[in-house]
């Protein structure tokens, strides 16, 4: 019996209480499964009646009654025959018998009972329903039985639970806030990006001018950061012939996640060829490594590219910028010796931490996935010494750097240990940002070598890393993290000039030119409406700094600043003073006031 | 009879003299055609004997004899029957009868005779062979009859001719120099780019780290220049559904020049879809224009993108970076009113001229292609007033700006006048750089509109422009133009430190770090060989500035500079002095000494 952690236990128990309540109100419902999740719990029901919002309220009320009844959770371990009988007696044969059949021979079969309710379940649970202090049903969604579109679509009820009412309230407030900050909504208000599923295709983002500023500022940041860290940049084509992907191992295994090939007969030689859009940059980078001979003097070689990849994600899984079919990745591959690995890995982590600070990401977690020695040569490439050495090194670096991490055994990639990076936005919403991987296997598949100082051939290790993930996903995260109120250096429009009336137009335009000339992103609100309307417009479009121009300012050549992210900028300044403030603000890439911590305040 | 210009006449006459000489030496040769070209002339022969280099010399000697004989070129106009008889009598029926059949009924049929030689020919020619003062045969190549691979491959002899011996010598020296500067050769020596036709595909360049510097510096330049000129940047996907290309008109007409489609059944809806890699950025930019409503206040809208396009060029036509299948274009589309057109077009031209100056391009020509009013509604979109107004405006701007241009009637695009930009490299080699087009038609096809100040709907004009052409072609040009000796701001490696021996390694590394910290691209030559070898290596790799570090420099903390492009940098400097020189050199984007003109010397 695998013990769940207390929060999982709590939520898992809630899903049983949910099912109990549903059967009380809808006795004809057939149950499938009801696990806890990262954010709460759900249960899947098969029922002709379509659940409504009112049903959710009734069910939640019924759940609270069951909690008050303080039913005990009781575990029963039974034989397979007894299990069948329990399921039949309880009238839940439609899905539960199949779930029973999934349990391998020899494994314990268990049920959990609370009151009249009984469910096939590995556990674990809280002892009594009254332990549930704070529960809330959230939504209803369709979900295919076993996630397979060929099966019947069931009704999934989502809910969440916390050890205390306060925590539940905080969570619900976060969800409410997350809805307001939804990157699709903010993106529309700020004109950042668009999709055209009919003419371009689903999941292929068109970056409008203001969204493109975000893309290009992030690239500039990455290029500067990577130059300073000794990376070289490369550019590689977006497609390649199929044999490259056979060498890399993407084909045939990964084919479902790729766009279909472009098939043609080469006009010279008449050879039949399939070209695929690349789904990852690695194979192309390996070719660049191999294009010129390498010696130990050249290592480490760090090849970086904001490479464009295409993945044919299922249309049902596409979601704004968060899941797309064309993505530009902050990719790099580091080729190094085993001796260099520790330093290289440490430098990659330092880069992550630097970015977290720059973007005001205060909570993060690195999930360090390691191998299982008993599955070498099967699930994991058979390099026992390399596995041990690299994992030890990674673990040591993580500990030494004081990085928050958890170790997850048996979840490494086939070719080496990996680290998944999770971050929490300013409102506490979790995002998976990126994955770092160590790769023992692929350099050898591509025949990558270097000459050692003893003039021998050796194979380098390869680190795959992408601290800023993809433009699409990272910008989606940043929009929600900042609610569109980006730091000045990132803001699509940095300054908006609001002339009080048409007679200030000339001064406004003169000012715009002066700011534009030093490459500040600035515009003039040329509408003829009132100041209040101009301010509201700038607020919806999240322009960080507004300059209000009235008679007085035009006469004395000053500016009156209204700032949404920097209190200290407010008030009257000469143009030169304002320019100096802005130049420093931009070059320092300072966070908005609301993100400032003690250390970063200046 | 269309009169050729004097140089064409001269070269065309040479091709007849060439054929005369070949028939004297190889009477069994069958002649096809022999026109003048931009660079000289050729003639295509069908002959079992394969021409050798020695044959070329014999043929050239025979040509000189014929020139000395001072044969007169005599024009004969004849009937179709007489023409057949002349061809038969001269024993040249294999190709010439077919060429005769090509001449439309009613058109004049003419021959040109010199001595015993006679050739079906529209003309025109010089009066006597002695007018040919300087001629040279250059090479032999295979060429299919009528350019069709299904036909027999003939032997093409290339030559060139000039009005004077001096001009011929200059031209031959240029060709010799061009061979040394061939961008494929220099690219290899400098490790700029690679192709992998087997694994990636022909015509798909892999930019190695040093070539990527060129790509990114050009992008930086373009982004700065375009920001200053009021452009907005966008990013668009590399592919789209076929209906977008039907709207744009690329399909079906342009399909042969595109990669074949990716065909699939969308997982949602089961709709059959074809995705194409984009061959041009225009359709995507039009969608971005249309994504948000536009008013007269917003115009002109200038959308810029270094967009990646894919074109399936015939493999036989691929040539290094000059003709490729994946290209990144310095593209932009300007949407404006008719009133704004003049200023916008002028600004585009100014940008060209600024770039020419920056890159030391001293000779250029704009070919201004206009419409033929008699073909409105057929070859040209039926907008007589717009054609006239725009062409007048373009002509006026070209004249006012003092730009070198020629006007070519009847060669405009279907949808508006166009300008092809030709430039000459430092050694006088000609390149077609880019095309600007005015577009009356496509904005309407895409339903692009703006609201006028009278609150009516109107269609904007669109200017397509790409001053830096594509990365591939422009960098190919720059490599040959500079012979790889780029200005410092562009140089892949800006400074190389050459320690005299291993004991200076620490100082060298300390210096490298100091320069790298201010983002200078610098390396240390870590080999243990002699200074001479290190210098030669840096020269082959075209590193502009070398710092030699000996005992003295290491002791007094100075640097001894050896510069290949900036005489004034040579000699001993403190590190700070050298840094100041470099910072100014880079930020000013100054040309190498050998490119400095009076005006640009500082």
């Amino acid at each position: 019996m695998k013990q769940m952690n207390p929060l999982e236990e709590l939520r898992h128990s809630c899903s049983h209480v949910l099912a109990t309540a549903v059967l009380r109100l809808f006795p004809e419902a057939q149950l499938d499964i009801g696990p806890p999740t990262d954010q709460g719990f759900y249960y899947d029901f098969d029922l002709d009646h379509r659940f409504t919002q009112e049903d959710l309220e009734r069910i939640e009320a019924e759940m609270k009654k069951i909690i008050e009844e303080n039913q005990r959770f009781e575990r029963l371990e039974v034989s397979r025959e007894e299990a069948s009988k329990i399921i039949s007696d309880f009238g839940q044969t439609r899905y539960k018998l199949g779930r029973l059949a999934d349990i391998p021979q020899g494994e314990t079969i268990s049920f959990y009972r609370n009151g009249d309710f009984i469910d096939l379940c590995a556990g674990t649970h809280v002892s009594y329903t009254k332990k549930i202090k704070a529960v809330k049903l959230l939504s209803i969604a369709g979900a295919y039985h076993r996630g397979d579109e060929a099966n019947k679509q069931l009704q999934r009820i989502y809910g969440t639970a916390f050890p205390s009412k306060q925590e539940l309230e905080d969570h619900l407030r976060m969800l409410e806030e997350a809805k307001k900050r939804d990157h699709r909504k903010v993106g529309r208000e700020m004109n950042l990006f668009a999709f055209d599923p009919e003419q371009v295709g689903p999941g292929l983002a068109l970056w409008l001018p203001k969204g493109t500023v975000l893309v290009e500022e992030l690239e500039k940041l990455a290029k500067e950061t990577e130059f300073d860290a000794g990376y070289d940049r490369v550019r590689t084509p977006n497609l390649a012939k199929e044999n490259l992907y056979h060498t890399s191992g993407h084909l045939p295994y990964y084919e479902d996640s790729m766009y279909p090939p472009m098939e043609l007969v080469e006009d010279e030689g008449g050879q039949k060829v399939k070209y695929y859009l690349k789904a990852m940059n690695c194979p192309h980078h390996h070719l660049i490594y191999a294009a010129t001979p390498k010696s130990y003097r050249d290592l480490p070689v760090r090849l970086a590219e904001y490479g464009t990849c295409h993945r044919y994600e299922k249309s049902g899984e596409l979601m704004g910028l968060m899941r797309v079919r064309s993505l530009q990745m902050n990719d790099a591959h580091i080729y190094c010796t085993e001796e260099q690995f520790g330093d290289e890995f440490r430098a990659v982590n330092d880069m992550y931490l630097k970015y977290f600070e720059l973007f005001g990401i205060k909570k993060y977690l690195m999930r360090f996935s390691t191998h299982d020695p008993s599955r070498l040569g099967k699930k994991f490439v058979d390099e026992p010494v390399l596995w041990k050495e690299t994992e030890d090194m990674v673990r040591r670096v993580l500990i030494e750097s004081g990085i928050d991490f958890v170790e997850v055994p048996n979840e490494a990639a086939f070719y080496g240990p990996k680290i998944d990076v999770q971050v929490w936005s300013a409102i506490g919403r979790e995002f998976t940002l990126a994955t770092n991987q160590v790769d023992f296997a692929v350099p050898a598949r591509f025949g990558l070598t270097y000459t050692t100082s003893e003039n021998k051939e050796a194979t380098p290790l390869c680190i795959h890393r992408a601290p800023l993930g993809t433009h699409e996903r990272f910008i989606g995260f940043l929009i929600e993290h900042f609610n569109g109120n980006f730091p000045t250096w990132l803001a699509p429009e940095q300054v908006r000039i609001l002339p009080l009336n048409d007679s200030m137009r000339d001064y406004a335009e003169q000012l715009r030119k002066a700011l534009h000339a030093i490459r500040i992103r600035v515009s003039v609100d040329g509408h003829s409406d009132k100041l209040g309307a101009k301010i509201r417009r700038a607020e919806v479009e999240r322009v960080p700094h507004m300059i209000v121009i009235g008679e007085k300012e035009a006469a004395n050549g000053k500016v009156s600043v209204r700032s949404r992210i920097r209190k200290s900028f407010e008030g009257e300044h000469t143009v030169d003073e304002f320019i100096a403030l802005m130049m420093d603000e931009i070059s320092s890439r300072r966070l908005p006031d609301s993100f400032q911590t003690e250390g970063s305040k200046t």
Side-chain angles (χ1 to χ4, degrees), chain A:
Chain A
M1 182 174 72
K2 201 183 148 207
Q3 188 71 36
M4 284 185 171
N5 73 40
L7 189 60
E8 283 170 336
E9 258 188 1
L10 178 75
R11 289 170 172 179
H12 189 194
S13 301
C14 285
S15 78
H16 279 223
V17 173
L18 165 59
T20 311
V22 166
L23 282 187
R24 281 191 185 175
L25 299 169
F26 304 93
E28 69 279 23
Q30 284 288 313
L31 312 181
D32 190 3
I33 54 164
T37 65
D38 281 355
Q39 299 281 309
F41 62 90
Y42 66 81
Y43 212 111
D44 286 347
F45 303 97
D46 188 358
L47 181 69
D48 289 340
H49 169 76
R50 302 281 91 190
F51 288 129
T52 63
Q53 192 53 43
E54 290 70 44
D55 291 335
L56 276 201
E57 285 163 27
R58 281 175 64 210
I59 296 166
E60 194 178 297
E62 195 62 41
M63 287 173 73
K64 285 183 179 151
K65 267 202 245 166
I66 294 163
I67 292 167
E68 272 311 300
E69 290 165 13
N70 205 18
Q71 301 181 350
R72 191 164 88 85
F73 280 100
E74 185 191 352
R75 180 179 172 93
L76 288 76
E77 298 193 357
V78 298
S79 70
R80 199 167 285 270
E81 293 67 36
E82 289 167 320
S84 274
K85 185 161 184 313
I86 294 173
I87 289 170
S88 302
D89 290 351
F90 196 58
Q92 287 296 338
T93 50
R94 198 178 301 160
Y95 300 101
K96 293 293 181 187
L97 287 179
R99 297 292 180 181
L100 173 63
D102 292 345
I103 302 173
Q105 290 299 332
E107 273 192 26
T108 307
I109 296 172
S110 61
F111 283 78
Y112 275 79
R113 187 194 333 254
N114 57 294
D116 300 334
F117 181 83
I118 190 158
D119 202 353
L120 178 69
C121 174
T124 50
H125 284 279
V126 296
S127 50
Y128 288 91
T129 55
K130 263 203 175 169
K131 298 257 175 187
I132 301 169
K133 302 293 184 199
V135 63
K136 177 85 189 159
L137 295 186
L138 296 170
S139 60
I140 311 150
Y144 294 103
H145 173 55
R146 296 184 186 277
D148 184 343
E149 292 175 41
N151 291 335
K152 188 167 184 189
Q153 201 180 42
L154 310 179
Q155 297 185 76
R156 175 171 296 175
I157 297 182
Y158 282 103
T160 193
F162 284 87
S164 73
K165 285 218 158 56
Q166 185 60 49
E167 283 164 279
L168 175 63
E169 274 167 31
D170 289 349
H171 181 76
L172 294 178
R173 206 174 305 115
M174 184 274 278
L175 290 183
E176 207 45 50
E177 184 62 26
K179 219 181 278 174
K180 282 190 220 151
R181 291 174 175 224
D182 185 303
H183 75 280
R184 292 165 296 185
K185 172 177 164 287
V186 177
R188 233 180 347 263
E189 289 168 353
M190 297 181 74
N191 284 327
L192 298 180
F193 56 90
F195 287 93
D196 189 331
E198 290 311 312
Q199 298 188 84
V200 180
L204 301 168
L206 292 153
W207 289 101
L208 304 181
K210 293 197 169 170
T212 306
V213 169
L214 298 171
V215 169
E216 305 227 328
E217 285 293 343
L218 289 176
E219 284 187 13
K220 192 162 162 247
L221 170 71
K223 285 177 189 180
E224 289 176 11
T225 307
E226 288 164 2
F227 182 92
D228 294 349
Y231 287 68
D232 285 322
R233 303 205 77 74
V234 298
R235 290 271 177 118
T236 61
N238 292 324
L239 64 172
K241 289 184 178 177
E242 62 177 324
N243 48 346
L244 182 64
Y245 300 113
H246 283 295
T247 306
S248 70
H250 288 105
L251 289 177
Y253 310 106
Y254 200 71
E255 185 162 18
D256 279 353
S257 303
M258 295 169 80
Y259 274 86
M262 291 164 272
E263 301 188 54
L264 57 88
V265 176
E266 288 282 5
D267 57 356
E268 212 168 74
Q271 185 201 2
K272 256 188 149 172
V273 192
K274 288 184 187 179
Y275 284 94
Y276 282 88
L277 285 179
K278 71 177 172 193
M280 289 176 184
N281 300 304
C282 336
H284 285 84
H285 287 191
H286 300 334
L287 293 182
I288 287 198
Y289 178 94
T292 53
K294 298 282 186 296
S295 93
Y296 67 98
R297 280 182 225 275
D298 301 310
L299 263 49
V301 167
R302 308 180 192 94
L303 302 180
E305 176 179 24
Y306 246 113
T308 304
C309 299
H310 291 86
R311 296 182 186 169
Y312 194 73
E313 302 282 355
K314 287 188 186 155
S315 57
E317 286 177 7
L318 297 174
M319 204 283 270
L321 294 175
M322 289 299 175
R323 202 173 272 264
V324 290
R325 287 183 177 168
S326 170
L327 34 108
Q328 237 188 314
M329 195 185 292
N330 172 224
D331 218 346
H333 294 87
I334 300 171
Y335 304 86
C336 62
T337 66
E338 288 171 41
E339 295 72 44
Q340 292 166 337
F341 174 81
D343 282 347
E344 290 305 312
F345 184 74
R346 191 187 321 270
V348 168
N349 277 327
D350 288 348
M351 196 180 281
Y352 270 94
L353 297 180
K354 206 176 136 195
Y355 283 140
F356 290 162
E357 198 184 332
L358 182 68
F359 291 106
I361 295 169
K362 285 166 191 155
K363 185 176 168 195
Y364 69 89
L365 181 68
M366 299 209 183
R367 284 168 56 92
F368 171 34
S369 299
T370 55
H371 80 301
D372 175 345
S374 73
R375 303 176 80 178
L376 283 173
K378 280 169 262 170
K379 191 174 171 191
F380 304 110
V381 61
D382 195 11
E383 292 275 10
V385 180
L386 259 180
W387 276 107
K388 187 169 175 352
E389 281 178 4
T390 345
E391 288 179 0
D392 284 353
M393 207 137 43
V394 169
R395 196 177 296 110
R396 201 163 55 239
V397 171
L398 288 171
I399 291 167
E400 283 171 10
S401 319
I403 281 175
D404 291 330
F405 79 101
V406 289
E407 194 166 328
V408 195
N410 196 23
E411 292 203 358
F414 172 70
Y415 45 75
K418 69 170 183 175
I419 290 183
D420 295 302
V421 182
Q422 285 162 288
V423 296
W424 278 260
S425 77
I427 55 165
R429 191 165 171 205
E430 186 191 332
F431 290 82
T432 299
L433 186 62
T435 302
N436 289 338
Q437 300 183 336
V438 187
D439 194 329
F440 316 138
V442 162
R445 284 181 84 121
F446 274 84
L448 307 184
T449 59
Y450 65 95
T451 313
T452 67
S453 56
E454 288 85 39
N455 214 21
K456 287 189 184 135
E457 283 225 325
T459 303
L461 288 178
C462 177
I463 303 174
H464 307 240
R465 46 111 277 181
L468 300 179
T470 66
H471 276 322
E472 289 73 14
R473 197 171 172 78
F474 192 61
I475 290 175
F477 164 76
L478 288 182
I479 293 171
E480 304 198 7
H481 182 56
F482 289 115
N483 190 18
N485 294 308
F486 298 107
T488 310
W489 68 276
L490 255 183
E493 184 178 340
Q494 295 167 318
V495 177
R496 185 171 295 178
I497 301 169
L498 315 181
L500 257 185
N501 59 50
D502 283 1
S503 61
M504 283 91 206
R505 281 275 176 84
D506 284 352
Y507 180 57
E509 179 55 23
Q510 181 192 328
L511 199 54
R512 189 197 67 77
K513 278 192 180 149
L515 295 176
H516 184 263
I518 51 165
R519 298 197 179 134
I520 287 176
R521 297 183 290 268
V522 56
S523 79
V524 173
D525 187 328
H527 291 81
S528 329
D529 46 11
K530 292 244 172 79
L531 183 63
K534 290 179 185 176
I535 291 174
R536 271 194 300 282
R537 199 155 39 232
E539 283 183 342
V540 169
E541 295 176 26
R542 272 83 163 174
V543 182
H545 312 288
M546 292 171 241
I547 290 179
V548 179
I549 300 290
E551 300 276 356
K552 197 181 63 170
E553 287 82 6
N556 65 14
K558 291 198 165 182
V559 296
S560 176
V561 178
R562 190 185 168 99
S563 178
R564 303 180 58 247
I565 66 165
R566 190 75 63 221
K567 191 92 192 122
S568 61
F569 282 18
E570 301 226 321
E572 202 175 81
H573 301 278
T574 66
V575 175
D576 285 348
E577 279 166 6
F578 180 69
I579 285 178
L581 288 173
M582 288 296 293
M583 298 293 272
D584 176 59
E585 170 90 356
I586 293 168
S587 67
S588 66
R589 293 197 172 107
R590 201 167 291 135
L591 282 164
D593 282 343
S594 58
F595 278 80
Q596 298 282 358
T597 56
E598 283 311 309
S600 60
K601 262 182 201 151
T602 50

